[in-house]
């Protein structure tokens, strides 16, 4: 059997998946940690002659790991955008280590958390918590708000379906290209600068490779009192510019990813909340589907190696 490495919680270790691995002649070696360090990864790969690797945590697969992993042939990430988790991607290419991902299995879960947080920021839920100073606030409903989406991928489309399902009438989006599916759902495509000037709630859903899309200029033009929901890496927006407006209590927000900018990290949690690690697609249904597809993808990559 071929030895493979599986890390973290984003691979569901149930009997169905173990049977799927056995049928594919794959012998799994598990590291239960979600953030295995370089030494652990290197030693586990080399000591067990690992050929395949399913990234089910949030560890960093660095240049060093890939350079010293003597037997590794293929890697699969249990999500779409693996680049933030494989900073050693060039080394992987140089060593002919193939990399694959799993597309679409997480869409419902990410859209669901997006919808929940959009409602939360629009209704100022954090300001009403028991450790906050407010006790009674009247706000706009999300249903009557102008909702903006930065991005036009599968998750954005699913989020629009959910938004229209609860009665939201005005939804706009900014994207590099027109999304026929979003247009069919009644969304209007706008330039980023125009979108930022008009929205009541803005949700960021862009790929890591896009870099900083929400610049200081755009953030400064978002209407006071608006909400920001970030479901992308913090590199998608100017953190200092957002922190400045958050700390003035001009914008309210939530980020699924931990900021890296100090003034945003230390902002008032009743105005801006964030997770310690991304948890948007951590539901049993998504992890189950990701696990199935990750095995299929790894089998294909190893077969074609």
């Amino acid at each position: 059997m071929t030895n493979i490495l599986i890390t973290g919680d984003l691979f569901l270790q149930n009997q169905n998946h173990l049977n799927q691995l056995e049928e594919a002649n794959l012998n799994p070696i598990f590291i239960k940690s979600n953030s295995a360090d370089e030494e652990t990864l290197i030693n586990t790969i080399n000591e067990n002659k690992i050929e395949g690797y399913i990234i089910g945590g949030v560890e960093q697969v660095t240049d060093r790991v890939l350079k010293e992993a003597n037997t590794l042939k293929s890697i699969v990430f249990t999500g779409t955008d693996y680049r933030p988790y494989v900073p050693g991607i060039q080394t992987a290419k140089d060593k002919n280590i193939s990399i694959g991902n799993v597309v679409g299995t997480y869409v419902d879960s990410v859209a669901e958390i997006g919808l929940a947080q959009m409602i939360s920021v629009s209704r100022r839920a954090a300001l009403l918590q028991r450790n906050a100073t407010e006790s009674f606030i009247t706000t706009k409903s999300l249903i009557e708000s102008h909702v903006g989406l930065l991005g036009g991928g599968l998750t954005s489309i699913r989020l629009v379906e959910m938004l229209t399902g609860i009665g939201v009438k005005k939804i706009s989006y900014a994207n590099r290209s027109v999304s026929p599916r979003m247009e069919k759902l009644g969304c209007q495509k706008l330039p980023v600068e125009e979108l930022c000037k008009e929205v009541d709630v803005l949700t960021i859903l862009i790929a890591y490779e896009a870099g900083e899309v929400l610049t200081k200029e755009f953030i400064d033009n978002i209407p006071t009192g608006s909400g920001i929901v970030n479901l992308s890496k913090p590199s998608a927006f100017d953190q200092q510019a957002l922190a400045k407006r958050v700390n003035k209590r001009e914008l309210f927000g939530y980020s699924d990813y931990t900021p890296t900018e100090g003034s945003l990290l230390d902002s008032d949690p009743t105005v801006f909340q964030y997770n310690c690690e991304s948890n948007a697609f951590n539901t049993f249904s998504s992890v189950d589907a990701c696990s199935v597809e990750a095995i299929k993808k790894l089998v294909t990559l190893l077969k074609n190696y």
Side-chain angles (χ1 to χ4, degrees):
M1 296 184 81
T2 300
N3 285 350
I4 66 167
L5 172 63
I6 301 176
T7 59
D9 294 331
L10 298 182
F11 181 93
L12 198 59
Q13 296 181 40
N14 63 25
Q15 195 58 49
N16 288 337
H17 300 144
L18 295 177
N19 290 342
Q20 187 184 357
L21 289 166
E22 186 176 359
E23 289 169 6
N25 204 35
L26 299 176
N27 178 46
I29 307 297
F30 291 102
I31 295 178
K32 294 183 179 181
S33 170
N34 285 307
S35 52
D37 60 27
E38 289 182 324
E39 293 294 336
T40 301
L41 291 172
I42 292 167
N43 291 338
T44 303
I45 290 170
N46 289 337
E47 288 172 8
N48 295 281
K49 297 182 179 178
I50 298 293
E51 296 185 23
Y53 173 11
I54 294 176
I55 303 173
V58 292
E59 68 268 18
Q60 296 283 292
V61 186
T62 62
D63 283 311
R64 184 190 166 206
V65 170
L66 292 165
K67 284 177 182 176
E68 296 185 28
N70 299 324
T71 56
L72 192 60
K73 296 179 178 178
S74 300
I75 300 171
V76 172
F77 175 60
T78 50
T80 298
D81 200 354
Y82 56 79
R83 281 158 292 202
Y85 303 96
V86 190
I89 187 169
Q90 187 56 52
T91 300
K93 290 179 180 178
D94 293 343
K95 291 188 66 177
N96 199 31
I97 297 171
S98 55
I99 304 176
N101 57 1
V102 177
V103 179
T105 54
Y106 57 87
V107 166
D108 282 351
S109 297
V110 178
E112 176 182 79
I113 202 71
L115 176 61
Q117 295 301 333
M118 290 169 82
I119 294 171
S120 179
V121 298
S122 66
R123 296 294 298 272
R124 306 288 188 270
L127 281 174
L128 296 168
Q129 293 175 356
R130 64 180 184 176
N131 60 338
T133 56
E134 303 289 341
S135 60
F136 193 84
I137 302 173
T138 301
T139 67
K140 251 187 179 181
S141 163
L142 184 65
I143 292 173
E144 63 183 300
S145 298
H146 183 180
V147 172
L149 302 178
L150 199 54
L154 292 174
T155 306
S156 294
I157 293 167
R158 186 69 182 107
L159 184 51
V160 170
E161 291 173 342
M162 291 182 178
L163 288 165
T164 55
I166 66 168
V168 178
K169 300 290 192 300
K170 191 170 185 180
I171 307 171
S172 304
Y173 73 102
N175 196 45
R176 290 176 180 173
S177 57
V178 172
S179 169
R181 289 179 63 182
M182 292 182 74
E183 300 278 329
K184 190 175 180 179
L185 289 166
C187 299
Q188 179 185 14
K189 183 178 183 293
L190 296 174
V192 179
E193 57 270 27
E194 189 175 337
L195 182 72
C196 289
K197 289 177 181 178
E198 295 187 10
V199 294
D200 297 305
V201 180
L202 177 66
T203 295
I204 307 169
L205 277 161
I206 59 174
Y208 177 71
E209 67 173 351
E212 186 182 284
V213 174
L214 200 60
T215 63
K216 179 182 185 301
E217 177 187 357
F218 297 151
I219 290 172
D220 287 347
N221 286 327
I222 296 173
T224 295
S226 295
I228 305 288
V229 173
N230 176 53
L231 299 175
S232 300
K233 283 285 187 179
S235 56
F237 57 92
D238 186 318
Q239 295 181 70
Q240 290 186 345
L242 182 58
K244 185 176 180 181
R245 297 207 61 195
V246 163
N247 291 330
K248 290 181 179 179
R249 301 173 78 87
E250 294 177 349
L251 298 177
F252 299 83
Y254 162 86
S255 178
D256 182 51
Y257 289 86
T258 308
T260 55
E261 166 59 42
S263 54
L264 196 56
L265 272 169
D266 298 332
S267 59
D268 184 345
T270 67
V271 180
F272 187 85
Q273 297 186 317
Y274 57 84
N275 291 342
C276 295
E277 291 287 355
S278 173
N279 275 263
F281 67 77
N282 294 25
T283 64
F284 290 122
S285 58
S286 282
V287 174
D288 180 57
C290 280
S291 302
V292 171
E293 295 305 316
I295 295 170
K296 290 180 181 177
K297 177 68 75 169
L298 186 60
V299 168
T300 301
L301 291 178
L302 290 172
K303 183 178 179 181
N304 295 331
Y305 185 80

